[in-house]
Amino acid sequence: MAKKSNATHLRRRCLLLSVLAVAISAACGMAFDYAEALSKSLLYFEAQRSGRLPYNQRVTWRDHSGLTDGLERGVDLVGGYYDAGDHVKFGLPMAFTVTMLSWGVIEYGDAIASVGELDHALEAIKWGTDYFIKAHTSPNVLWAEVGDGDTDHYCWQRPEDMTTSRQAYKIDETNPGSDLAGETAAAMAAASIVFRRINPHYSHLLLHHAQQLFEFGDRYRGKYDESMEVVKSYYPSVSGYMDELLWAALWLYKATDTQAYLNYTIEKAHSFGGTGWAMAEFSWDVKFPGLQLLAAKLLTEDKHREHVEILQQYKSKAEYYLCSCLDKNDDGSNVERTPGGLLYIRQWNNMQYVSSAAFLLTLYSDFLGTTNQNLQCPKGAVGHEELLRFAKSQVAYILGSNPMNISYLVGYGHIYPRRVHHRGASIVSYKENKGFIGCTQGYDIWYERPEPNPNVLVGALVGGPDFDDSFTNDRTNFRQTEACTYNTAPLVGVFAKLHELEKLNFGFGKDFSSIHSYK
């Protein structure tokens, strides 16, 4: 009885010391290597590549896959990205991933270059846009998906062994998908800005596709998940297509400086919800906060004076989102937080909302610092330093300053998820063992094995903890251990910004708005 009592007492002391250690590290601030985190985050996209891998592929446990994609439909759909731990190529999240990667380079390209990672960032973007060019086979046709989730999830195989359906699905004039067309247009327009100086011909090609896709999406309106039932269980368009059309128009305006695109954003601001929807989520489905923040930044330019009233309304809604993240709204609409301080929206893959919030908070902090403004929230004004501090706290949680003392960015730090829900990472590398692994054979041998994955999915941001900061490092726990491309994409810019601040030895009470952008 005494031994049991002593053991219980010891466990309680260990738990208390663990909680105390987290509290001290949060108070003092753990030191993080943002350059390393940035480098590893870009490496993740190479693990997600579909198609024929290039000679300079750095993730060496991967090999060629999906080499006949599109063949049954007479089109070349080889390439692109697998969205997560399976092998379906979903167009909407892939496009959002590329938009966020491009936005990060546009804003923080010089900082990314200072770490020696600009070429890798450009490669990650171009791997996506090259695929979009292939998928946009005519002005009013966009191939939206290759494979389907139902048959894909029935199997646990390496991508190199795929035996599942590679059926391709498209949107066109009779089967519209304005949301998908709009997001793909936004991705290609944003990428055209990235490549404008270094590859003008490619930039022009991207812009040409973006303009056609926007016109297609606007002329033939409809939700893509109503044209493609197969996607509804995986990436349904809950927010509709109006946010993507406004989002695409604004990115096209930034890419072309053509007044017609700005007029579209202004004239449809109310009817499309741009100045009406106040959201607490920015994601592959909901673009309103990103759109609203992008519009708010136009207020600094004199040429937009005639649109000040509408742009101020966009700004108001952008600030609603930011205030909700900061717990500064007074109508009960603030984003919830875990006891450890992590923003919490949903139990399934919550980290996607954390990374996108960190990006917008960082970006708006720059905007406020540059324009010498404060964020006006119902619970009081917030300075630009506080926005950045909170964004940094979310990044700190991701990288290990949390109650579990685990880095949720795979491969970063000493403790990170080693049983990621990912087919390719969880099975012996094709390059080590080319013996065919069948559809259900992977489930029988590899899926539930207790050992760590044989391949480390470096740079992947997994779904993360639950509302109580608890995390179960189990391959079958897909809500928490699966990673997605759009989880990591926003972090590229944030890591670059934080690294640049540390390199310049800025304190968070000083002016850090002088960091240059890649424009």
Side-chain angles (χ1 to χ4, degrees):
M1 192 70 169
K3 288 183 179 179
K4 183 175 181 181
S5 176
N6 288 338
T8 302
H9 180 64
L10 182 61
R11 280 196 299 271
R12 286 175 177 169
R13 285 187 64 189
C14 289
L15 179 61
L16 179 61
L17 287 171
S18 175
V19 171
L20 183 60
V22 172
I24 291 172
S25 68
C28 298
M30 290 178 66
F32 297 109
D33 189 337
Y34 299 117
E36 179 190 349
L38 169 59
S39 298
K40 289 185 171 179
S41 66
L42 286 168
L43 196 61
Y44 166 61
F45 295 98
E46 296 191 24
Q48 295 303 110
R49 285 172 170 170
S50 179
R52 185 167 295 280
L53 303 186
Y55 72 94
N56 60 348
Q57 169 80 9
R58 295 178 296 160
V59 179
T60 56
W61 51 267
R62 280 294 323 283
D63 206 347
H64 311 311
S65 63
L67 299 182
T68 61
D69 284 357
L71 184 63
E72 292 179 1
R73 305 297 296 271
V75 291
D76 177 6
L77 298 177
V78 176
Y81 288 112
Y82 303 123
D83 72 305
D86 50 25
H87 304 136
V88 183
K89 296 192 293 199
F90 292 103
L92 187 59
M94 193 193 306
F96 181 65
T97 295
V98 172
T99 305
M100 294 309 297
L101 284 171
S102 298
W103 200 358
V105 172
I106 289 167
E107 299 292 344
Y108 303 116
D110 287 346
I112 295 171
S114 74
V115 186
E117 291 293 336
L118 183 59
D119 284 347
H120 292 141
L122 298 180
E123 288 169 6
I125 294 167
K126 193 171 184 292
W127 193 268
T129 52
D130 282 352
Y131 176 77
F132 298 147
I133 290 169
K134 287 183 174 184
H136 185 214
T137 50
S138 64
N140 297 336
V141 175
L142 176 64
W143 292 89
E145 181 178 341
V146 178
D148 73 86
D150 292 342
T151 60
D152 187 270
H153 287 191
Y154 179 75
C155 298
W156 193 264
Q157 290 177 288
R158 301 174 296 196
E160 297 83 3
D161 290 326
M162 270 191 293
T163 57
T164 51
S165 168
R166 303 306 288 170
Q167 173 72 34
Y169 303 86
K170 66 180 178 179
I171 55 171
D172 55 26
E173 296 172 9
T174 55
N175 301 284
S178 302
D179 29 27
L180 175 59
E183 184 59 54
T184 310
M188 299 181 93
S192 78
I193 299 172
V194 170
F195 289 103
R196 182 183 291 156
R197 289 183 298 175
I198 57 175
N199 192 340
H201 174 76
Y202 189 67
S203 172
H204 180 77
L205 178 63
L206 292 175
L207 202 52
H208 174 70
H209 281 279
Q211 290 171 315
Q212 284 192 341
L213 281 166
F214 173 72
E215 185 176 341
F216 163 47
D218 188 43
R219 179 175 296 178
Y220 302 97
R221 293 182 187 171
K223 290 172 56 179
Y224 90 121
D225 61 355
E226 292 179 352
S227 296
M228 292 169 43
E229 291 285 331
V230 69
V231 81
K232 273 196 170 179
S233 297
Y234 301 95
Y235 289 101
S237 183
V238 178
S239 71
Y241 57 78
M242 294 179 183
D243 52 340
E244 277 88 5
L245 288 178
L246 291 171
W247 175 243
L250 202 48
W251 274 113
L252 279 163
Y253 175 64
K254 286 181 66 68
T256 65
D257 203 31
T258 299
Q259 189 66 30
Y261 294 120
L262 178 61
N263 291 344
Y264 185 99
T265 310
I266 297 298
E267 292 166 5
K268 298 188 182 301
H270 178 69
S271 61
F272 275 21
T275 56
W277 282 106
M279 308 296 289
E281 169 192 329
F282 177 49
S283 66
W284 57 264
D285 179 34
V286 182
K287 310 298 158 41
F288 285 113
L291 155 73
Q292 291 155 351
L293 190 150
L294 206 59
K297 292 183 69 178
L298 298 179
L299 286 163
T300 60
E301 300 176 44
D302 288 341
K303 64 180 180 179
H304 300 128
R305 282 183 178 177
E306 64 178 299
H307 302 304
V308 165
E309 183 180 350
I310 299 297
L311 292 176
Q312 284 286 0
Q313 292 175 33
Y314 272 114
K315 182 183 178 187
S316 174
K317 293 302 185 289
E319 295 196 336
Y320 178 95
Y321 168 82
L322 298 164
C323 293
S324 72
C325 291
L326 295 167
D327 199 30
K328 295 289 186 178
N329 283 333
D330 59 5
D331 60 356
S333 62
N334 293 311
V335 178
E336 291 185 283
R337 298 186 193 179
T338 68
L342 184 73
L343 292 172
Y344 193 86
I345 291 181
R346 289 185 183 87
Q347 65 171 347
W348 195 321
N349 190 21
N350 182 64
M351 279 299 188
Q352 64 173 304
Y353 309 109
V354 178
S355 64
S356 61
F359 181 85
L360 292 188
L361 286 159
T362 301
L363 196 58
Y364 208 69
S365 171
D366 287 348
F367 172 71
L368 294 176
T370 302
T371 57
N372 196 28
Q373 297 181 63
N374 288 327
L375 172 63
Q376 301 299 326
C377 294
K379 289 185 178 179
V382 181
H384 65 109
E385 301 100 330
E386 187 174 342
L387 268 77
L388 188 62
R389 255 193 301 271
F390 183 69
K392 190 180 181 186
S393 76
Q394 299 302 290
V395 172
Y397 191 110
I398 288 170
L399 295 182
S401 182
N402 57 64
M404 296 292 291
N405 288 314
I406 184 173
S407 166
Y408 291 106
L409 190 76
V410 178
Y412 180 89
H414 298 296
I415 304 173
Y416 53 82
R418 295 179 183 271
R419 297 172 186 82
V420 180
H421 182 93
H422 188 278
R423 285 158 175 77
S426 69
I427 301 174
V428 63
S429 170
Y430 180 79
K431 290 188 175 181
E432 283 188 35
N433 181 357
K434 290 184 168 58
F436 177 74
I437 295 175
C439 171
T440 59
Q441 187 181 356
Y443 276 117
D444 294 339
I445 300 174
W446 297 95
Y447 183 61
E448 294 186 357
R449 61 195 294 272
E451 292 82 9
N453 289 351
N455 309 302
V456 180
L457 193 63
V458 175
L461 177 61
V462 298
D466 64 17
F467 188 66
D468 294 318
D469 295 300
S470 296
F471 177 79
T472 303
N473 186 13
D474 189 319
R475 198 174 297 111
T476 65
N477 180 20
F478 49 84
R479 286 182 175 85
Q480 293 188 323
T481 64
E482 188 167 24
C484 300
T485 56
Y486 45 86
N487 294 16
T488 297
L491 290 179
V492 171
V494 179
F495 287 148
K497 171 73 177 187
L498 294 178
H499 170 71
E500 190 76 353
L501 287 175
E502 291 212 334
K503 190 175 72 169
L504 296 173
N505 199 27
F506 279 129
F508 281 91
K510 299 179 182 179
D511 177 23
F512 45 74
S513 59
S514 59
I515 292 177
H516 299 297
S517 59
Y518 190 78
K519 296 177 184 176

